[in-house]
Amino acid sequence: MDKYICKVCGYIYDPDAGDPDSGVTPGTPFEEIPDNWVCPLCGVGKDQFDKME
């Protein structure tokens, strides 16, 4: 699964880890995160993330 990086603060969403503090269980692909999820560090939306190469 692809990792995604926040263009604002550099936070990396790793699907293997998920974001349990925000209710995103480990193993959740970025595309399946709810649209109202925000970056846990800076609070921007999913549209501010780019897929890592």
Side-chain angles (χ1 to χ4, degrees):
M1 286 187 279
D2 295 314
K3 293 180 182 179
Y4 283 75
I5 187 165
C6 178
K7 294 185 281 189
V8 175
C9 73
Y11 169 81
I12 296 173
Y13 175 75
D14 181 351
D16 291 333
D19 183 15
D21 292 341
S22 298
V24 180
T25 57
T28 303
F30 188 79
E31 297 80 10
E32 293 182 13
I33 297 173
D35 288 337
N36 63 350
W37 178 83
V38 296
C39 176
L41 295 185
C42 70
V44 298
K46 285 178 64 178
D47 61 331
Q48 295 297 310
F49 280 73
D50 286 330
K51 183 163 60 168
M52 294 182 70
E53 299 299 324

